[in-house]
Amino acid sequence: MLSIQVNGLNEALASIKDMSERRIKAAAATALTRTAREIEKKWQGDIKSNIDRPTKRTSEATVVLKATAQRLQSEVKLKDKVGSGMSPAEY
């Protein structure tokens, strides 16, 4: 489980009080997507360091589902379907 601690939240909220709800949601979506991309990089590094000579398909087996202003949720997943051969999740 991922736990995030925020310091200075009251100050941050005061600085955005004049922003529209649409801009706040767009900024939140950007932050969620950027965080997911950082997690994806970490996962890719873990794959490369923990699997002996991973193929390109295996080392690039992660995918990020981006957040949007309408869907404030971002996901990092392993690709589990491939055209042929063994899927990265099975490997």
Side-chain angles (χ1 to χ4, degrees), residues 20-55:
S20 70
E21 182 179 349
R22 181 172 112 1
R23 287 186 64 203
I24 291 171
K25 285 184 176 183
T30 299
L32 287 166
T33 300
R34 287 181 181 175
T35 302
R37 295 251 186 246
E38 289 299 316
I39 292 168
E40 179 187 36
K41 287 179 191 176
K42 170 79 170 90
W43 280 17
Q44 287 175 342
D46 289 348
I47 289 169
K48 290 177 182 176
S49 65
N50 292 312
I51 297 176
D52 184 32
R53 294 173 296 187
T55 64

Side-chain angles (χ1 to χ4, degrees), residues 9-86:
L9 183 59
N10 291 334
E11 294 83 6
L13 290 173
S15 71
I16 64 170
K17 71 177 183 178
D18 294 329
M19 292 176 64
S20 70
E21 182 179 349
R22 181 172 112 1
R23 287 186 64 203
I24 291 171
K25 285 184 176 183
T30 299
L32 287 166
T33 300
R34 287 181 181 175
T35 302
R37 295 251 186 246
E38 289 299 316
I39 292 168
E40 179 187 36
K41 287 179 191 176
K42 170 79 170 90
W43 280 17
Q44 287 175 342
D46 289 348
I47 289 169
K48 290 177 182 176
S49 65
N50 292 312
I51 297 176
D52 184 32
R53 294 173 296 187
T55 64
K56 184 175 180 179
R57 179 181 292 170
T58 302
S59 62
E60 295 176 0
T62 58
V63 64
V64 171
L65 301 177
K66 298 189 310 183
T68 65
Q70 293 77 32
R71 188 181 72 88
L72 293 175
Q73 177 179 323
S74 186
E75 296 179 49
V76 183
K77 295 182 171 188
L78 286 176
K79 295 176 189 172
D80 58 355
K81 298 193 189 240
V82 293
S84 64
M86 186 183 295

